[in-house]
Amino acid sequence: GENVEQHPSTLSVQEGDSAVIKCTYSDSASNYFPWYKQELGKGPQLIIDIRSNVGEKKDQRIAVTLNKTAKHFSLHITETQPEDSAVYFCAASRPGANNLFFGTGTRLTVIP
Amino acid sequence: DGGITQSPKYLFRKEGQNVTLSCEQNLNHDAMYWYRQDPGQGLRLIYYSQIVNDFQKGDIAEGYSVSREKKESFPLTVTSAQKNPTAFYLCASSIPWTGGRNQPQHFGDGTRLSIL
């Protein structure tokens, strides 16, 4: 089955700096890669996603890049703010079903 | 507002008891999912349902059961056979996989289950 690895497990940045979280996946058939943000005591919230026919996608301060050959994808947050502090999860999904395989999460702390 | 409602937020279970976690959605989504989240781990799929009256086991279904009698509701029962039930349980929903495109899943705010 699919195996998704996520690094780093924790990340601290100064407010205004950029943050990068990286994920690798094992199943070359996976073609959908969402990113979720989870705040304490809440459910994950979808923040951006990318499909395998696209190499990069941006939404304001958030961007995701995908390298299908290397089977890795990354989340980039620019101009970080304290409210960006949360746990971020990457996930991968194969065609034919919506089942998601999640990474183990990255706890991002933005220091004011 | 459309969304997913999970209840209760906190649940305590005695050894040997079955408990049922509620998940209701008003997003008109056909597909619903249950995940388990443990500290330091990602979410793991317990059960999913693509349509009413149909559901499939996920990666960790042992000790759990579900039903899908209504489109809006997908309750999860944690049975006494589940050896380590203490966890954060998350319900999600989506429109079905269609036309070759996976669809985003939207999550509720979870139920935290603890064993007394």
Side-chain angles (χ1 to χ4, degrees), chain B residues 3-19:
Chain B
I4 300 173
T5 301
Q6 291 188 240
S7 61
K9 192 168 180 65
Y10 299 96
L11 187 57
F12 298 92
R13 192 192 92 171
K14 292 182 180 179
E15 295 272 0
Q17 277 185 339
N18 293 354
V19 289

Side-chain angles (χ1 to χ4, degrees), chain B residues 89-108:
Chain B
Y89 291 88
L90 289 158
C91 178
S93 71
S94 73
I95 61 176
W97 181 85
T98 52
R101 289 173 66 86
N102 300 72
Q103 302 300 329
Q105 292 184 20
H106 302 273
F107 285 82

Side-chain angles (χ1 to χ4, degrees), chain A residues 31-32 36 38 41-46 49 51 53 87 89 93-105, chain B residues 9 31 33 35 37 40-43 45 48 50 59 88 90 94-97 100-105 107-109:
Chain A
N31 66 347
Y32 176 64
Y36 286 86
Q38 186 176 27
K42 299 284 190 180
Q45 180 183 19
L46 180 70
D49 57 11
R51 301 182 188 275
N53 59 343
V87 179
F89 289 96
S93 183
R94 296 176 282 192
N98 286 338
N99 299 2
L100 291 174
F101 296 88
F102 283 84
T104 50
Chain B
K9 192 168 180 65
Y33 313 81
Y35 291 89
Q37 185 175 29
Q41 297 191 35
L43 283 67
L45 183 65
Y48 65 99
Q50 297 288 350
D59 298 323
F88 191 46
L90 289 158
S94 73
I95 61 176
W97 181 85
R101 289 173 66 86
N102 300 72
Q103 302 300 329
Q105 292 184 20
F107 285 82
D109 281 338

